[in-house]
Amino acid sequence: MHFLLPAFVAFIATTSAFPTYKHVVREKRDRLPAKWAKRAKMDARAVLPVRVSLKQRNLERAHEYLDEVSNPASSKYGKHWSVKEITKTFAPSDESSKAVLQWLSEHGFVNIRTSGALHTLEFEASVAEIERLLKTEYYVYEHSESGKGYVACEEYSVPAHITEHINIITPTLHFDVKPHMKKRDVPNHVPNGESDAASTPTSNGSNDMQGCVDRITPDCLRALYNIPKATSKPSPDNSFGIVEYSPNTYNEADLDAFFANYTPAAVGQRPIFKSINSGSIDVDNPTDFDNNIESNLDLQFGMDLVYPQKVTLYQVGATNNDASDADFIKTKVVSTSWGQNENDISAAYAEMMCNEYMKLGLQGVSVLFSTADHGVAGNTDNCTDDGQFQPDFPATCPYVTAIGATQIDRSTTNLTAALAAGDQPEVAIYQTIRSGGGFSNLFALPSYQQAAVSSWFSNSPPPYGADRFNDTGKARAVPDLSVNGANYQVVMGGVATSIYGTSASTPVFAAMVVMVNEARLAAGKPSLGFLNPAVYKYAGKFVRDVVEGSNPGCGTDGFEAVEGWDPVTGLGTPDFGKMMEVFKDL
Ligand SMILES: *[C@@H]1O[C@H](CO)[C@@H](O)[C@H](O)[C@H]1NC(C)=O
Ligand SMILES: *[C@@H]1O[C@H](CO)[C@@H](O)[C@H](O)[C@H]1NC(C)=O
Ligand SMILES: *[C@@H]1O[C@H](CO)[C@@H](O)[C@H](O)[C@H]1NC(C)=O
Ligand SMILES: *[C@@H]1O[C@H](CO)[C@@H](O)[C@H](O)[C@H]1NC(C)=O
């Protein structure tokens, strides 16, 4: 087990006289998230990096601002904001900064840094000092599977006159953030025993397509979704980011073996590496399934589909450096196949992160997240103790595009014929994993989704109520779209291995968005940015509905895929050819 913050230093003497204010609890946890246990009390002398996230201004207008630049009906469509405008609009008020700095200085904290976006104050303090500042106690918490230890507390308080000026303070309850984003969509390992480049299904019009029922290759995805193989020189302004969390790392030999099978010209191609919070990669170690699978999957398929477009790998290290979380994204599309149960994180943390994704949308970035692999049972394959389904965050943030999973129905006897006839050969995924889907307990139903979701409530009322999910009809619902997530032929240790997951689906849809951006940039248009208002508005023009299957979980049948939007496959699967037609001209 290793600690997040192992640096122990001499106890720092502090003054003893502090003003006495009435304190109020700022955040509190009722229970520990699944698989975490409280261990030893933290050494009072350990020094921790403290981050105080200040209340930002104008967030109540966030939805309106984002809608203006991403709703095709708006005259400001595509008029994305600069980082400077974003910082200026949302920066905390001087009053907030002053009040918090004053409180901190009364406690002897004077060397305080401000983050680039002005909403986070940073300083170092000993455990004893923070315990006094926040009237709390720090313990080490251990994750039963990874064995990792994190420093956290279960509630903290601030003076009554300060609470209105702050958002959250870390490290406190949020030890389960980034580093503990569960390996979403834990892809199940189904070795198919053969490295079968020779029998790769192709999209050259032959019956070889039938092989896609058992094995998904990049060519299968091109055939299923009507994606041409990219050939032209990409625009220097186009970009595609994939986020991974250390210690998960991709393997170079596997990447080349994958390219050799499917896109030989790409052999030797590597992602542009960007380390975030000390994220590191170990690209040539012997392949270890748990450590390599997510990165191998995302990069092999993501890079192949957009080649020769380059992909940027944002490799995030293991720190709980929360508040500036999304600031590092500089690409026009970003795909993340990681997440965690919404119920396991604090509402304030989820809202803060979601607002960071909103800011990316304002900048013209399309942010995509997968919805997890256990149907209605979220990321840990379990309902809450009181039987509630588990929606998955960040997919439930209304400012991201949430991607679920489908598969080719195994009863399809002639896939080529089905596709030629314009039939939907896919159903909600039922082999090995189930598509995450459901309703947020934190985020309200966004306007772009209102018609689709309310029609689902009236036409296909589920057999559950508030005992199982947020059935108010006022909650953000996921997924938005879905893409095949079964039998992906990921090369692991030199062998093609069948991998399943919404993890697989997400970078594939992201790749399609990258290709549409390519056409838009070539025509002098801005990137697509936040997709959902246009996705819902034009679904009828480019989406093939998925009407069969369900997403059972935690002993229930989950929800059913039905005509129109549903909480299993969202609106359905994209037809890229049609998507291009609709989206390139917006
Ligand atoms: C399609 O491609 C495969 C593999 O490259 C090849 O074996 C097959 O003959 C091709 N079929 C047609 C109809 O061109
Ligand atoms: C699911 O939760 C129940 C109690 O709420 C517990 O008994 C069970 O072990 C959990 N299962 C998993 C897979 O975590
Ligand atoms: C599948 O359908 C295609 C196109 O309709 C046809 O050419 C082919 O012969 C069919 N394959 C089989 C095995 O029936
Ligand atoms: C359901 O969602 C709405 C809208 O976000 C929220 O106000 C309400 O508290 C949620 N209900 C539950 C039980 O989580």
Side-chain angles (χ1 to χ4, degrees):
M1 157 171 152
H2 50 103
F3 297 114
L4 169 62
L5 300 154
F8 285 74
V9 303
F11 181 76
I12 300 169
T14 49
T15 49
S16 53
F18 301 116
T20 46
Y21 294 123
K22 181 178 152 22
H23 274 61
V24 293
V25 173
R26 177 64 206 162
E27 284 196 283
K28 183 175 167 45
R29 213 182 238 306
D30 305 330
R31 64 192 165 84
L32 288 178
K35 303 185 176 116
W36 282 94
K38 188 173 179 172
R39 301 286 186 229
K41 179 93 180 58
M42 264 309 277
D43 187 313
R45 296 162 305 175
V47 171
L48 305 177
V50 183
R51 297 169 64 93
V52 179
S53 156
L54 300 172
K55 196 70 103 199
Q56 298 175 49
R57 287 173 308 128
N58 294 317
L59 286 174
E60 68 287 355
R61 298 190 63 186
H63 189 80
E64 172 198 340
Y65 291 146
L66 187 58
D67 194 61
E68 269 175 4
V69 298
S70 53
N71 188 332
S74 157
S75 60
K76 293 186 183 163
Y77 180 79
K79 296 202 164 65
H80 301 132
W81 294 25
S82 66
V83 172
K84 216 170 150 189
E85 280 173 285
I86 293 171
T87 301
K88 195 168 141 243
T89 304
F90 299 107
S93 67
D94 286 349
E95 190 197 350
S96 294
S97 306
K98 275 189 196 141
V100 175
L101 285 169
Q102 170 68 26
W103 167 55
L104 294 176
S105 79
E106 286 162 5
H107 277 260
F109 301 117
V110 283
N111 285 326
I112 292 172
R113 302 176 298 277
T114 305
S115 70
L118 307 178
H119 53 70
T120 308
L121 303 177
E122 303 172 349
F123 57 96
E124 278 78 40
S126 71
V127 166
E129 289 172 318
I130 321 173
E131 288 184 338
R132 212 150 38 215
L133 183 73
L134 302 178
K135 301 213 179 303
T136 186
E137 290 192 338
Y138 280 88
Y139 286 82
V140 174
Y141 293 78
E142 192 183 16
H143 190 257
S144 65
E145 278 171 7
S146 68
K148 278 193 182 172
Y150 278 80
V151 178
C153 60
E154 276 159 51
E155 68 168 64
Y156 62 99
S157 303
V158 298
H161 72 283
I162 291 298
T163 192
E164 66 181 293
H165 297 301
I166 64 170
N167 186 3
I168 66 172
I169 298 177
T170 64
T172 51
L173 335 172
H174 317 96
F175 62 91
D176 52 345
V177 298
K178 290 303 172 210
H180 298 282
M181 280 200 153
K182 295 291 300 175
K183 184 163 74 181
R184 143 133 11 175
D185 323 326
V186 176
N188 286 279
H189 185 199
V190 184
N192 68 359
E194 46 179 329
S195 176
D196 52 359
S199 62
T200 300
T202 66
S203 52
N204 61 4
S206 73
N207 296 338
D208 296 339
M209 272 300 297
Q210 196 57 28
C212 298
V213 176
D214 297 313
R215 289 184 293 273
I216 289 289
T217 65
D219 277 335
C220 289
L221 295 167
R222 291 188 182 99
L224 265 180
Y225 300 123
N226 197 10
I227 307 171
K229 194 147 180 161
T231 46
S232 59
K233 198 167 175 289
S235 153
D237 292 336
N238 203 5
S239 50
F240 180 13
I242 292 181
V243 180
E244 303 294 350
Y245 292 90
S246 292
N248 208 284
T249 187
Y250 80 97
N251 181 280
E252 288 188 334
D254 285 344
L255 187 60
D256 280 341
F258 185 88
F259 289 150
N261 279 356
Y262 306 119
T263 303
V267 170
Q269 177 93 266
R270 298 289 176 260
I272 302 163
F273 176 66
K274 299 278 185 210
S275 170
I276 310 301
N277 296 345
S278 315
S280 63
I281 48 176
D282 183 8
V283 292
D284 51 15
N285 250 358
T287 309
D288 168 73
F289 188 84
D290 284 340
N291 247 1
N292 291 106
I293 187 57
E294 186 65 62
S295 300
N296 270 10
L297 164 67
D298 299 344
L299 290 169
Q300 288 175 15
F301 276 85
M303 288 177 70
D304 189 285
L305 286 170
V306 300
Y307 180 81
Q309 170 64 48
K310 287 259 190 185
V311 169
T312 300
L313 167 61
Y314 291 112
Q315 185 78 31
V316 183
T319 77
N320 60 352
N321 204 1
D322 314 333
S324 59
D325 204 278
D327 285 2
F328 62 82
I329 306 288
K330 305 289 180 216
T331 51
K332 295 193 159 66
V333 175
V334 63
S335 172
T336 309
S337 293
W338 300 65
Q340 58 201 328
N341 293 328
E342 197 186 76
N343 291 314
D344 284 350
I345 55 177
S346 83
Y349 169 75
E351 278 158 24
M352 181 182 79
M353 287 313 306
C354 185
N355 284 324
E356 294 300 302
Y357 302 130
M358 176 276 296
K359 292 176 189 172
L360 288 177
L362 276 179
Q363 285 172 61
V365 179
S366 305
V367 183
L368 296 105
F369 278 94
S370 48
T371 56
D373 294 350
H374 301 286
V376 292
N379 200 29
T380 49
D381 197 9
N382 218 337
C383 275
T384 63
D385 288 344
D386 48 6
Q388 291 281 324
F389 293 160
Q390 297 255 37
D392 204 68
F393 182 82
T396 52
C397 168
Y399 307 132
V400 311
T401 302
I403 308 295
T406 52
Q407 71 173 87
I408 301 168
D409 190 346
R410 296 190 64 78
S411 67
T412 308
T413 51
N414 189 332
L415 181 61
T416 309
L419 288 172
D423 295 343
Q424 171 59 288
E426 295 200 78
V427 298
I429 190 164
Y430 59 89
Q431 267 184 295
T432 309
I433 69 135
R434 306 301 189 134
S435 180
F439 299 81
S440 173
N441 294 315
L442 298 177
F443 297 103
L445 182 66
S447 54
Y448 58 76
Q449 211 181 23
Q450 247 151 28
V453 172
S454 62
S455 118
W456 176 79
F457 271 101
S458 7
N459 300 333
S460 317
Y464 320 105
D467 54 325
R468 291 291 191 186
F469 76 107
N470 189 335
D471 69 341
T472 54
K474 291 182 177 149
R476 157 74 166 146
V478 292
D480 297 304
L481 290 165
S482 36
V483 168
N484 191 294
N487 296 305
Y488 275 52
Q489 298 304 289
V490 178
V491 178
M492 283 292 301
V495 179
T497 302
S498 283
I499 299 298
Y500 301 76
T502 52
S503 267
S505 317
T506 307
V508 172
F509 185 68
M512 296 187 216
V513 180
V514 171
M515 288 182 263
V516 175
N517 275 345
E518 183 61 41
R520 290 177 60 85
L521 294 169
K525 287 179 174 285
S527 58
L528 285 169
F530 180 50
L531 300 165
N532 295 4
V535 162
Y536 280 82
K537 186 177 167 83
Y538 295 118
K541 290 189 194 289
F542 78 98
V543 167
R544 263 186 291 180
D545 202 355
V546 176
V547 296
E548 275 180 57
S550 60
N551 60 354
C554 50
T556 75
D557 295 335
F559 297 111
E560 272 180 43
V562 293
E563 216 174 284
W565 181 90
D566 54 69
V568 186
T569 59
L571 294 161
T573 57
D575 176 316
F576 176 76
K578 293 179 179 167
M579 176 174 156
M580 179 66 103
E581 285 312 304
V582 174
F583 284 80
K584 79 176 179 4
D585 294 326
L586 290 181

